[in-house]
Amino acid sequence: ALKRQLLAAIAAANGERMLSVAEAADEYRTSPRTIQRWIRTGDLPVTGRGRVRRVKRGDLERLLGRA
């Protein structure tokens, strides 16, 4: 729980919302497997390890060409 709060605080300080893999997939209408593949191939930077993996909304939008 503390790690999750720390990640959220860092993102808030940077003015950028962090999304879980599931949140990112839902918000951008793709599958969690696609998000995970982008992370695995290095196309999408990720913060955290294991179950607490988050992506920055801005990084996801840049990848999708929306930024």
Side-chain angles (χ1 to χ4, degrees), residues 4-54:
R4 200 172 308 149
Q5 290 172 342
L6 181 59
L7 290 173
I10 291 169
N14 292 335
E16 209 166 359
R17 180 155 180 253
M18 302 292 281
L19 302 170
S20 70
V21 169
E23 290 171 332
D26 185 53
E27 191 165 322
Y28 291 91
R29 295 188 177 127
T30 189
S31 73
R33 283 186 142 178
T34 299
I35 301 293
Q36 291 166 346
R37 184 176 63 245
W38 289 338
I39 291 169
R40 188 178 62 250
T41 61
D43 293 327
L44 184 60
V46 66
T47 301
R49 289 187 171 157
R51 296 179 63 148
V52 185
R53 294 166 36 134
R54 300 279 187 256

